[in-house]
């Protein structure tokens, strides 16, 4: 995953354009060609939004009065304000400063700034470099292109479960930010490896729909094209964001905090080190759109250090040193465990009155010395709470174990018909 992240890091990306398509193509190759690539024409109305013109950058830079080239887009894509219009002129420092952006609290960082829906131009640079700007005349060069006949692109992967049903789990991540590692690329690379893992899972209970989109406008477009299907079929879902560092594990809950996704995420994160749980008041990614009141899918966001919760967020400091292979593996395991806990989370009822004779079926020792091994105690405790109302996650919470670890117990009890699934 880390090698894939490095391959993607320097591709210039935005919410539309060649960089997004190239990045999606790289991810598709990694996943074995399973991505269905979709497009939405520029100018398409999606609810209250309109898909903007496709934007591509050839070059951008500033030449100082002393002849030094600064703010070079080709050296760091963050130097150019996203969706800057073309501009080439010589202007004074005072005029130039009206178009420059810095990060007040991180003097060494280049901030990430965009202007998708209003035409302007601008550059970003560190506060330290800003303070060194000399008086005089600067040459500003921005070679960008807006294509009114362009398109917005996104990728979609569908993995059919073993059961013949329409219930789906939606997993979403975004691929539109330039040259930032944890905020941008950790989600897509973890999702790409998750796709490989899901394809190797047997007897999946749910169908899985995974999408790679431009943040905000991409999810709005996707919802506008799939609103009825999402409303009817999605039973739970997760947004993957900032999921590649080693500092924490985080969940951003849905507005009501009681959806199936909330229950699964809260159960799973309890077994991670340094868990951080945030309310929907601290939303910041596409959970905003999937939980819009008229859709309300109950989606939660899974991450390591959450957006706006680590210093390097939305700056050039979110580089290849912030994300690690261990961090990515931890993020992958987090979403995998959420899925395993979700898959097993059914409701069972015992089929006997009073405790069944477990010893006669070889499920516990027939010699009673006053203590049972832990696995046998767990089996008896699980049975004791199977009342046809409690879910597996609810019982697992009482037992202090992760739900996925009850799989063998459930399979044995089903084998001897000591429990039955409640429909």
């Amino acid at each position: 995953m880390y090698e894939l992240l490095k391959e993607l890091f320097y591709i210039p990306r935005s919410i539309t354009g060649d960089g997004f398509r190239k990045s999606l193509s790289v991810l598709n190759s990694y996943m074995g060609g399973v991505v269905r690539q979709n497009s939405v024409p520029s100018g398409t109305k999606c609810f209250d939004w309109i898909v903007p013109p496709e934007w591509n950058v050839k070059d951008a830079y500033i030449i100082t009065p002393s002849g030094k080239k600064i703010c070079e887009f080709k050296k760091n894509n963050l130097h150019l304000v996203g969706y800057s219009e073309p501009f080439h002129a010589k202007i004074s420092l005072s005029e130039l400063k009206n178009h420059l952006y810095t990060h007040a609290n991180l003097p060494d960082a280049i901030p990430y700034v965009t202007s998708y829906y209003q035409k302007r131009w601008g550059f970003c640079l560190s506060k330290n470099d800003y303070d060194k700007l000399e008086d005089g005349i600067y040459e500003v060069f921005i070679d960008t292109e807006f294509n009114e006949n362009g398109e917005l692109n996104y990728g979609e992967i569908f993995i059919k479960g073993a059961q013949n049903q329409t219930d789906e789990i939606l997993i979403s991540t975004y691929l539109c930010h330039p040259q930032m590692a944890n905020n941008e690329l950790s989600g897509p690379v973890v999702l790409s490896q998750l796709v490989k893992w899901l394809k190797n899972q047997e007897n999946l209970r749910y169908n899985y729909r995974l999408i790679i989109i431009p943040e905000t406008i991409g999810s709005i477009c996707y919802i506008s094209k799939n609103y009825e299907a999402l409303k009817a079929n999605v039973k739970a879902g997760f947004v993957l964001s900032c999921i590649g560092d080693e500092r924490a594990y985080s969940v951003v809950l849905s507005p009501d905090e009681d959806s199936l996704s909330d229950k699964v995420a809260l159960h799973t994160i309890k077994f991670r080190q340094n868990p951080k749980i945030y309310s929907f008041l601290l939303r910041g990614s596409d959970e905003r759109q999937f939980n819009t009141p008229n859709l309300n899918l109950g989606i939660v966001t899974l991450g390591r250090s959450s957006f706006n919760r680590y210093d390097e967020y939305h700056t050039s400091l979110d580089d290849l040193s912030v994300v690690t292979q261990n961090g990515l593996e931890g993020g992958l395991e987090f979403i995998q465990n959420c899925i395993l806990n979700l898959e097993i989370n059914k409701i069972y009822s015992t089929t006997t009155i009073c405790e069944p004779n477990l010893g006669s079926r070889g499920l516990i020792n027939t010699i009673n010395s006053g203590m049972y091994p832990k696995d046998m105690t767990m089996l008896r405790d699980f049975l004791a709470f199977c009342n046809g109302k409690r879910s597996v996650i609810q019982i697992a919470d009482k037992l202090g174990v992760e739900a996925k670890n009850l799989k063998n117990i459930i399979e044995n009890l089903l084998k001897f018909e000591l429990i039955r699934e409640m429909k």
Side-chain angles (χ1 to χ4, degrees), residues 37 101 117 124 135 226 234 252 270 301-302 313 341 343 406:
Q37 301 191 40
Y101 301 87
Y117 302 103
C124 302
D135 287 330
N226 300 280
V234 171
V252 179
K270 288 195 302 187
T301 295
L302 305 180
Y313 178 70
N341 291 328
E343 284 280 327
L406 296 172

Side-chain angles (χ1 to χ4, degrees), residues 213-418:
I213 54 181
E215 195 174 34
T216 305
I217 186 62
S219 55
I220 292 170
C221 285
Y222 188 83
I223 292 167
S224 73
K225 289 169 66 71
N226 300 280
Y227 178 82
E228 295 299 336
L230 290 168
K231 191 86 171 174
N233 299 332
V234 171
K235 304 306 175 187
F238 307 97
V239 173
L240 305 184
S241 175
C242 304
I243 200 165
D245 69 345
E246 297 186 40
R247 297 166 182 163
Y249 288 90
S250 66
V251 169
V252 179
L253 299 173
S254 76
D256 294 329
E257 300 186 0
D258 64 353
S259 70
L260 178 56
S261 313
D262 289 307
K263 293 170 184 175
V264 169
L266 287 171
H267 173 74
T268 306
I269 201 171
K270 288 195 302 187
F271 299 92
R272 312 273 80 78
Q273 289 185 341
N274 196 22
K276 307 291 184 184
I277 299 169
Y278 303 108
S279 83
F280 195 68
L281 291 172
L282 297 175
R283 63 198 178 278
S285 188
D286 287 314
E287 74 283 344
R288 295 172 297 155
Q289 314 309 329
F290 294 121
N291 290 320
T292 185
N294 288 324
L295 183 60
N296 195 25
L297 296 180
I299 300 292
V300 305
T301 295
L302 305 180
R304 298 295 304 255
S305 292
S306 184
F307 33 72
N308 282 321
R309 298 273 136 7
Y310 63 102
D311 290 341
E312 301 92 344
Y313 178 70
H314 269 198
T315 76
S316 58
L317 301 183
D318 190 353
D319 58 22
L320 293 170
S321 69
V322 174
V323 171
T324 67
Q325 179 64 19
N326 285 338
L328 292 167
E329 289 174 357
L332 175 63
E333 183 187 32
F334 187 20
I335 178 61
Q336 286 173 332
N337 285 356
C338 283
I339 289 171
L340 291 173
N341 291 328
L342 175 63
E343 284 280 327
I344 205 169
N345 188 43
K346 300 179 181 181
I347 296 176
Y348 296 99
S349 175
T350 57
T351 59
T352 64
I353 297 174
C354 297
E355 293 180 346
N357 188 336
L358 299 175
S360 68
R361 297 170 173 87
L363 295 175
I364 64 171
N365 291 336
T366 54
I367 295 177
N368 186 350
S369 60
M371 292 185 64
Y372 288 104
K374 184 177 181 180
D375 58 338
M376 295 182 187
T377 300
M378 191 73 68
L379 185 151
R380 298 175 78 218
D381 287 343
F382 181 81
L383 264 177
F385 286 97
C386 272
N387 65 350
K389 298 178 181 179
R390 299 185 185 96
S391 68
V392 170
I393 282 180
Q394 287 175 309
I395 297 173
D397 282 336
K398 287 184 176 292
L399 304 185
V401 298
E402 201 162 355
K404 67 185 182 68
N405 295 330
L406 296 172
K407 182 178 180 180
N408 288 338
I409 287 175
I410 293 170
E411 288 177 348
N412 280 329
L413 292 173
L414 288 170
K415 174 184 175 183
F416 289 104
E417 298 182 350
L418 295 174

Side-chain angles (χ1 to χ4, degrees), residues 130-230:
Y130 178 91
D131 291 339
K132 296 175 185 175
L133 293 175
E134 57 192 301
D135 287 330
I137 301 299
Y138 288 75
E139 181 179 357
V140 177
F141 180 78
I142 302 173
D143 187 1
T144 56
E145 179 184 68
F146 291 91
N147 182 1
E148 301 287 347
N149 296 314
E151 60 188 26
L152 175 149
N153 304 100
Y154 66 88
E156 187 172 16
I157 307 105
F158 182 75
I159 299 173
K160 182 71 177 175
Q163 299 183 17
N164 186 22
Q165 61 175 13
T166 60
D167 291 352
E168 291 185 6
I169 308 303
L170 179 68
I171 301 175
S172 171
T173 194
Y174 50 88
L175 184 66
C176 53
H177 298 65
Q179 221 158 318
M180 288 177 285
N182 196 34
N183 173 51
E184 176 52 28
L185 292 173
S186 62
V189 301
V190 166
L191 182 140
S192 300
Q193 187 63 30
L194 180 69
V195 167
K196 292 184 174 184
W197 177 79
L198 278 169
K199 288 176 69 66
N200 288 323
Q201 299 302 299
E202 296 180 356
N203 300 316
L204 287 171
R205 176 184 176 189
Y206 294 100
N207 303 320
Y208 286 82
R209 192 174 299 276
L210 305 96
I211 57 175
I212 304 172
I213 54 181
E215 195 174 34
T216 305
I217 186 62
S219 55
I220 292 170
C221 285
Y222 188 83
I223 292 167
S224 73
K225 289 169 66 71
N226 300 280
Y227 178 82
E228 295 299 336
L230 290 168

Side-chain angles (χ1 to χ4, degrees), residues 63-67 89-93 96 134-139:
I63 297 178
T64 68
S66 57
K90 292 184 177 181
I91 60 176
S92 67
L93 176 60
L96 175 62
E134 57 192 301
D135 287 330
I137 301 299
Y138 288 75
E139 181 179 357

Side-chain angles (χ1 to χ4, degrees), residues 8 11 13 18-31 35-38 153-157 175 192 211-213:
L8 292 164
I11 299 174
R13 279 176 299 277
D18 295 334
F20 188 99
R21 285 188 289 270
K22 182 177 180 180
S23 300
L24 189 59
S25 178
V26 171
L27 291 166
N28 190 23
S29 295
Y30 179 82
M31 287 182 272
V35 179
R36 185 179 71 173
Q37 301 191 40
N38 300 274
N153 304 100
Y154 66 88
E156 187 172 16
I157 307 105
L175 184 66
S192 300
I211 57 175
I212 304 172
I213 54 181

